[in-house]
Amino acid sequence: MPVKPIKNADGRLVAKLDEQSDTIAIKLKDCETEITRKPDGSYEVVNTKTAA
């Protein structure tokens, strides 16, 4: 299944949902957050920041 874009009320992209891996990716400016649902029901949150 492809990545599904998630848009806000203004039609702007706010996140991407990968239903295959149960991962949501949110990117704002130079910061990216990935939230992944694990098989036990818990979540893993990984934050990264690209060098400017």
Side-chain angles (χ1 to χ4, degrees):
M1 209 174 263
V3 174
K4 179 179 177 181
I6 299 172
K7 297 185 178 190
N8 65 13
D10 290 331
R12 300 182 96 174
L13 180 68
V14 294
K16 294 178 184 177
L17 170 63
D18 183 340
E19 294 177 325
Q20 186 77 24
S21 65
D22 280 338
T23 300
I24 296 175
I26 303 166
K27 184 168 184 172
L28 296 171
K29 298 186 182 180
D30 60 347
C31 296
E32 185 167 344
T33 301
E34 284 192 356
I35 305 165
T36 304
R37 184 172 57 182
K38 297 167 113 182
D40 66 0
S42 65
Y43 292 90
E44 177 182 12
V45 178
V46 177
N47 293 296
T48 57
K49 185 170 183 168
T50 56

